[in-house]
Amino acid sequence: MNLPIRGIIPPIVTPLSENGDLDSQGLRNIIEHMLEGGVHGLFLLGTTGEGSSLSHALRKQVVTEACNLIRKRVPMLVCITDTSCTESLELAEHAQRMGADALVVAPPYYLPISQGEMQQYLDYLAPLLPLPFLLYNMPSCTKLQLSLETIKKGKKLGAIGIKDSSGDWNYLNSLIEEFKEDATFSIVTGTELFLPRLIAKGGHGAVAGGANFFPGLFVALYNACLADDTKTISELLKSVKLIGNTIYSVGKQESKYIKSTKCVLSVFGLCQDQVAPPLRRFTSSEREQIKDHLTHFPPDASYIPAR
């Protein structure tokens, strides 16, 4: 795999049927939609993919079918984070057998752990991983913000980069500054609006949830950032901000981002909007709000799919 990992790497949703099974046709539709939009990689079973809410069997099925569909057209990253280290390693081995390119490792969730315990965990886990791995900082879901010392430890053990979803620009900027001399260590953000600043400072890309439904928008923004095209960046950021102020603002629960992303894909006819328990999909009223919000995006924009 070419390093560093860079570009727009959507955290792909996991499309589900009414009975909770994998919606295989939906998965095919979404993958082809994003590849047509020019994305540079795909990230399976992350927060947006509801990985922690899926059975281990279903996670493996997602990896198997996605690998068969992607066929090495872009790098595929698989999140293996679990409360059980044994399950993480089993999924890692499965991902390697199916043809994934890299793994993603966040702190095990539920039990609170210290930085020292996370470093000990990496000491044990990293040598057993069959593929390169990316660290994943997601403190809102894991209770732990990875310290610089822990990230350095991960890098020493073979980490090829970090995805930061803290939403803290000062923290992210400190990572860019720390690792800017290393051309093989990727710094990517999960905060979509940070992309221009990240690229300008020497970072590498974004795991942008909105690229599930508007892949072309985020690819165009990334390309404009590389070209330092300030006019285009300004125009495209208007649409990125509009996503946050409209689509991501529907609903009152903390889970609304996942629900709204799936709802948009459903409105586009790409998959159903079913989400994994304990969550529930949007109500009909909330779905109508999503449909109304979509009418406010430029109808002639290249990133809007025909519908």
Side-chain angles (χ1 to χ4, degrees):
M1 183 170 58
N2 293 330
L3 297 175
I5 295 172
R6 60 175 68 247
I8 300 302
I9 306 170
I12 183 171
V13 305
T14 302
L16 301 172
S17 65
E18 291 285 344
N19 62 6
D21 292 335
L22 180 64
D23 174 7
S24 297
Q25 184 58 53
L27 184 64
R28 177 186 297 274
N29 293 343
I30 297 166
I31 287 174
E32 293 304 324
H33 172 64
M34 289 190 285
L35 293 180
E36 288 171 8
V39 301
H40 306 90
L42 293 171
F43 173 30
L44 297 178
L45 302 176
T47 308
T48 306
E50 302 172 272
S52 62
S53 297
L54 307 177
S55 71
H56 295 115
L58 183 51
R59 295 183 215 186
K60 290 179 180 178
Q61 183 185 359
V62 170
V63 172
T64 298
E65 295 196 19
C67 282
N68 290 337
L69 291 166
I70 295 168
R71 302 188 306 278
K72 293 291 186 180
R73 286 178 284 176
V74 296
M76 190 177 81
L77 288 67
V78 177
C79 186
I80 61 167
T81 302
D82 198 278
T83 54
S84 164
C85 188
T86 300
E87 295 293 351
S88 291
L89 288 170
E90 188 171 321
L91 183 56
E93 293 287 348
H94 180 78
Q96 188 272 336
R97 288 194 299 271
M98 294 302 104
D101 298 282
L103 308 171
V104 181
V105 176
Y109 44 90
Y110 189 73
L111 290 178
I113 63 174
S114 66
Q115 297 292 340
E117 288 167 323
M118 181 62 192
Q119 292 170 31
Q120 291 172 343
Y121 175 72
L122 291 173
D123 266 328
Y124 173 77
L125 182 74
L128 300 176
L129 296 177
L131 289 170
F133 70 98
L134 193 78
L135 293 168
Y136 183 8
N137 186 51
M138 186 60 167
S140 64
C141 293
T142 64
K143 306 185 185 72
L144 183 72
Q145 171 128 305
L146 298 178
S147 69
L148 185 56
E149 183 180 356
T150 297
I151 296 167
K152 287 180 177 180
K153 176 75 169 184
K155 182 177 180 296
K156 184 177 180 180
L157 291 167
I160 59 175
I162 181 167
K163 177 206 171 186
D164 172 48
S165 292
S166 67
D168 181 343
W169 169 254
N170 290 330
Y171 172 86
L172 179 59
N173 186 51
S174 72
L175 300 184
I176 298 170
E177 289 297 316
E178 178 65 32
F179 298 105
K180 64 183 178 183
E181 301 301 326
D182 190 335
T184 65
F185 194 77
S186 297
I187 309 292
V188 296
T189 180
T191 306
E192 297 167 356
L193 288 172
F194 285 173
L195 181 60
R197 280 192 284 174
L198 176 113
I199 297 299
K201 294 283 289 185
H204 300 92
V207 179
N212 274 276
F213 46 86
F214 289 157
L217 166 63
F218 290 92
V219 171
L221 178 58
Y222 172 73
N223 290 335
C225 292
L226 291 182
D228 195 24
D229 182 347
T230 55
K231 180 179 180 181
T232 300
I233 291 171
S234 178
E235 285 301 311
L236 293 174
L237 275 178
K238 292 179 183 177
S239 291
V240 177
K241 291 176 181 177
L242 187 59
I243 292 173
N245 292 332
T246 59
I247 292 171
Y248 292 162
S249 68
V250 175
K252 297 179 180 180
Q253 296 85 3
E254 291 296 319
S255 59
K256 60 188 178 182
Y257 157 75
I258 293 172
K259 297 178 183 181
S260 62
T261 301
K262 277 192 167 178
C263 188
V264 173
L265 292 169
S266 174
V267 171
F268 286 170
L270 296 174
C271 69
Q272 299 183 51
D273 60 354
Q274 188 69 39
V275 292
L279 305 184
R280 291 291 182 267
R281 62 186 171 189
F282 274 162
T283 64
S284 57
S285 173
E286 290 167 328
R287 180 182 175 86
E288 288 303 312
Q289 291 179 55
I290 290 289
K291 291 171 70 174
D292 178 67
H293 288 323
L294 288 170
T295 66
H296 294 88
F297 289 85
D300 58 343
S302 62
Y303 59 83
I304 303 292
R307 59 182 190 276

